């Protein structure tokens, strides 16, 4: 089955809760990177964050993933520059809406 789980499972985004680590048992599966992106996007939508902001956050996450995986590639400088540009757009977005922005 999907994600290595023994049965079909659903992530109930509308029922987000925090639990202590001690409640967790043995690992029984994992989500793919693509599946986690969908879950993260659904969480942002559930919290009322609009599509423009979600796009900026997803772009930053994608660049961070690429930077992390390919740290020694020659084009990494341009990727970091692209990330800085998107971070600036995110800051402008937050400033226009008077939202807290933390780097």
């Amino acid at each position: 089955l999907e994600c290595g789980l023994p049965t079909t499972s659903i992530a109930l985004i509308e029922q987000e809760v925090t639990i202590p680590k001690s409640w967790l048992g043995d690992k029984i599966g994992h989500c793919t990177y693509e599946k986690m992106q969908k879950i993260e996007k659904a969480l942002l939508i559930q919290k009322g964050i609009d599509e423009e902001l979600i796009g900026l956050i997803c772009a930053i996450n994608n660049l961070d993933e690429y930077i992390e995986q390919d740290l020694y590639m020659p084009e990494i400088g341009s990727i970091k520059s692209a990330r800085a540009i998107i971070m600036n757009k995110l800051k402008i977005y937050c400033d226009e809406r008077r939202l807290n922005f933390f780097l």
Side-chain angles (χ1 to χ4, degrees):
L1 289 169
E2 189 175 11
C3 299
L5 298 173
T7 59
T8 301
S9 299
I10 298 172
L12 299 173
I13 301 305
E14 70 278 4
Q15 296 182 13
E16 178 186 11
V17 295
T18 302
I19 61 169
K21 242 183 170 177
S22 61
W23 289 12
L24 300 175
D26 294 331
K27 180 179 174 180
I28 59 170
H30 68 279
C31 288
T32 63
Y33 178 75
E34 291 78 18
K35 181 72 68 182
M36 282 306 302
Q37 281 186 315
K38 289 179 181 179
I39 291 170
E40 288 172 2
K41 183 176 179 180
L43 282 167
L44 293 171
I45 291 169
Q46 178 69 20
K47 293 176 188 296
I49 298 174
D50 69 33
E51 290 288 328
E52 182 182 358
L53 182 55
I54 291 170
L56 291 170
I57 292 168
C58 290
I60 291 166
N61 285 341
N62 289 339
L63 288 172
D64 285 347
E65 180 75 17
Y66 189 81
I67 289 168
E68 199 172 289
Q69 288 179 0
D70 303 306
L71 192 56
Y72 301 106
M73 295 186 69
E75 65 268 14
I76 203 69
S78 61
I79 294 168
K80 287 182 178 179
S81 295
R83 185 186 188 283
I85 290 166
I86 296 169
M87 287 296 288
N88 189 51
K89 287 181 182 181
L90 179 58
K91 183 179 183 327
I92 292 167
Y93 174 94
C94 292
D95 288 348
E96 288 172 350
R97 289 157 183 82
R98 296 187 177 134
L99 301 171
N100 288 332
F101 178 79
F102 299 98
L103 289 175

